[in-house]
C-alpha cells in the first residue's frame, strides 16, 4: 500500500501487481532538459527502449497537482508542450498539489514518487550534484540517492558539475557508484573523467546481485549505476571543457542560479557545440533506458526464484 496517493496508469499498475519488471523514467528532461519537439520524441523513444528490454516504462510527472506514475501518450504530449511548468524535487511536491500545477520530476522527485509505488529501478541521463562556481548549490538528487533504496542508471553526473566534489559527497553518504563495464566515472558527454568508481560490474545480473547484497545488509541508500555514453556519440573531455567553462561563466554573468542553472547550462552547451551535445544527450538517455530494463528483468527474476 502506498503511504501517499499517486495515480498509477493501468499498465504500470498491472505490471506491479504481476511483479513484472518496471522502470521509472524522470520528466524534468522532458519539461526542462530538452528543446521541443525532441523532448517528446525522446520521451517516447525511452519508453520504447524499456519495452524492448522486456520491462514496463513508468514516466513520473505531476499533472494538475496529481502525482502520476505512468503516462498515456496523450499525457506525454501534454507534458511536453506545457509552457509554465514546475521542476519538481522534494520541496516542490506540496506546491504542485496545493496549487494544482503540472511539473517534471527531477531525479530526486522521481525517486521519491516511484519508490513509494514500489518501483526499484530508474533510468535518467545525468544526476544533479555539486555545482561549480557556486557557493552552496548541491542538488537534492544527492540527498535522495543517500536515502532512497533504488537502482539509478545514469551516464554519470552532468559534466557541468564539480565531479570530484560530487563523488566525495556520494562517498560520505554511503552511495555505491557502480561503473558498468568501466573503471572510470563517466562525465556525461564523455566516457572518461579521470575519476574512479567504487566498483566495476560486468552485467545486469551482477548489478542485481550487488543491489540485493547492499540492501540485505540493511543499507538504505540507492545504488548509482554509471553507464558511459555510447562511443559513437561521445565527445572528448578536452573538447567539452572549454565549452562548459564558457557556459558556466555566462551563467555567473547573468546571475543564473538555483533550479534555473541546469536548464540554462544544457541549452548554452547545445548551442555552443552546434547540437553535438544534444545528440550525445539523447544517445546516452536511450542507452540508460536499455540497461535499466535489463537490470529490472534481472531483479524480478531473482525475486521470483526467492518466492518459489
Ligand atoms: N540531466 C539532463 N537534463 C536534465 C537533468 C539531468 O541531461 O534536465 C535534470 C534531472 O532531472 C536532474 C536535475 O535531477 O536536472 C537536477 O537539477 P538540480 O541541479 O537543479 O537539482
Ligand atoms: Mn541546484
Amino acid at each position: 500500500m502506498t503511504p501517499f496517493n499517486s495515480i498509477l496508469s493501468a499498465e504500470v499498475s498491472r505490471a506491479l501487481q504481476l511483479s513484472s519488471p518496471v522502470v521509472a523514467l524522470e520528466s524534468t528532461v522532458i519539461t526542462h532538459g530538452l528543446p521541443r519537439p525532441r523532448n517528446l520524441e525522446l520521451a517516447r523513444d525511452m519508453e520504447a527502449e524499456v519495452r524492448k528490454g522486456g520491462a514496463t516504462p513508468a514516466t513520473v510527472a505531476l499533472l494538475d497537482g496529481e502525482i502520476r506514475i505512468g503516462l498515456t501518450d496523450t499525457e506525454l504530449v501534454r507534458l511536453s508542450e506545457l509552457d509554465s511548468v514546475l521542476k519538481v524535487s522534494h520541496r516542490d511536491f506540496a506546491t504542485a498539489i496545493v496549487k494544482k500545477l503540472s511539473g517534471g520530476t527531477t531525479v530526486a522527485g522521481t525517486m521519491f514518487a516511484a519508490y513509494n509505488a514500489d518501483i526499484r529501478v530508474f533510468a535518467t541521463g545525468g544526476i544533479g550534484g555539486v555545482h561549480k562556481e557556486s557557493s552552496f548549490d548541491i542538488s537534492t538528487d544527492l540527498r535522495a540517492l543517500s536515502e532512497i533504496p533504488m537502482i539509478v542508471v545514469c551516464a554519470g553526473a552532468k559534466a557541468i558539475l564539480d565531479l570530484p566534489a560530487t563523488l566525495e559527497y556520494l562517498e560520505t553518504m554511503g552511495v555505491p557508484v557502480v561503473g558498468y563495464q568501466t573503471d572510470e566515472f563517466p562525465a556525461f558527454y564523455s566516457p572518461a573523467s579521470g575519476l574512479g568508481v567504487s566498483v566495476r560490474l560486468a552485467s545486469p545480473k551482477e548489478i542485481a546481485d550487488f543491489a540485493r547484497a547492499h540492501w540485505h545488509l540493511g543499507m538504505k541508500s540507492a545504488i548509482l549505476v554509471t553507464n558511459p555514453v555510447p562511443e559513437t556519440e561521445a565527445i572528448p573531455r578536452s573538447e567539452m571543457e572549454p565549452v562548459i567553462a564558457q557556459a558556466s561563466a555566462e551563467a555567473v554573468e547573468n546571475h543564473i542560479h538555483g533550479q534555473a542553472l541546469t536548464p540554462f547550462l544544457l541549452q548554452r552547451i547545445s548551442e555552443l557545440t552546434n547540437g553535438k551535445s544534444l545528440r550525445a544527450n539523447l544517445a546516452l538517455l536511450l542507452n540508460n533506458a536499455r540497461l535499466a530494463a535489463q537490470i529490472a528483468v534481472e531483479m524480478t527474476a531473482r525475486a521470483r526464484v526467492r518466492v518459489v
Side-chain angles (χ1 to χ4, degrees):
M1 266 295 107
T2 49
F4 60 79
N5 288 331
S6 54
I7 300 176
L8 275 61
S9 70
E11 191 194 6
V12 170
S13 165
R14 200 177 321 119
L16 288 169
Q17 264 164 26
L18 297 171
S19 301
S20 57
V22 176
V23 172
L25 299 170
E26 63 143 308
S27 52
T28 293
V29 68
I30 304 171
T31 55
H32 293 76
L34 296 171
R36 293 176 208 164
R38 301 310 290 270
N39 61 343
L40 175 61
E41 287 165 23
L42 179 275
R44 286 173 168 159
D45 290 351
M46 276 190 90
E47 292 205 348
E49 209 58 60
V50 170
R51 283 182 218 285
K52 249 194 276 169
T56 300
T59 301
V60 174
L62 272 291
L63 287 180
D64 305 319
E66 289 175 340
I67 302 171
R68 308 293 294 266
I69 317 278
L71 302 179
T72 63
D73 192 64
T74 315
E75 289 164 345
L76 263 191
V77 172
R78 209 189 128 207
L79 188 71
S80 73
E81 289 175 350
L82 287 174
D83 276 322
S84 87
V85 62
L86 290 178
K87 175 173 160 183
V88 182
S89 269
H90 282 56
R91 71 169 181 182
D92 313 295
F93 276 92
T95 306
I97 291 167
V98 167
K99 295 183 183 283
K100 301 199 180 342
L101 298 174
S102 299
T105 47
T106 62
V107 168
T110 306
M111 289 176 76
F112 176 71
Y115 181 76
N116 179 67
D118 284 335
I119 300 173
R120 295 291 175 268
V121 183
F122 165 33
T124 182
I127 58 160
V130 182
H131 273 276
K132 293 178 182 175
E133 322 279 354
S134 163
S135 54
F136 217 82
D137 187 346
I138 300 173
S139 176
T140 311
D141 291 356
L142 296 186
R143 199 175 62 89
L145 287 164
S146 74
E147 291 175 352
I148 305 177
M150 293 183 77
I151 298 175
V152 179
V153 181
C154 68
K158 281 161 291 175
I160 54 179
L161 299 168
D162 183 334
L163 297 185
T166 300
L167 280 174
E168 290 296 343
Y169 186 102
L170 289 169
E171 182 185 349
T172 301
M173 301 313 277
V175 180
V177 179
V178 174
Y180 179 60
Q181 300 176 346
T182 182
D183 295 309
E184 267 194 69
F185 184 65
F188 201 67
Y189 304 116
S190 329
S193 64
L195 301 162
V197 292
S198 65
V199 60
R200 174 187 180 132
L201 297 175
S203 66
K205 177 168 186 308
E206 276 191 23
I207 294 169
D209 290 344
F210 182 93
R212 298 253 180 232
H214 183 72
W215 293 329
H216 187 69
L217 293 165
M219 303 294 181
K220 297 282 181 276
S221 78
I223 287 145
L224 187 66
V225 174
T226 64
N227 186 24
V229 58
E231 279 305 332
T232 47
E233 310 294 334
I235 312 174
R237 219 166 20 125
S238 55
E239 204 176 315
M240 284 313 296
E241 265 163 11
V243 172
I244 292 165
Q246 184 181 334
S248 302
E250 286 179 17
V252 174
E253 246 165 65
N254 293 296
H255 307 289
I256 292 164
H257 47 77
Q259 287 191 325
L261 184 58
T262 295
F264 173 85
L265 292 174
L266 292 176
Q267 197 202 322
R268 270 310 277 147
I269 290 168
S270 175
E271 287 163 10
L272 293 168
T273 60
N274 293 317
K276 208 167 149 185
S277 69
L278 181 58
R279 287 193 293 280
N281 199 344
L282 295 170
L284 65 85
L285 280 158
L286 295 180
N287 197 40
N288 294 345
R290 206 170 301 136
L291 177 59
Q294 292 167 357
I295 295 168
V297 167
E298 287 297 337
M299 290 297 288
T300 53
R302 293 257 346 226
R304 285 214 189 90
V305 169
R306 278 157 60 105
V307 168
V308 166

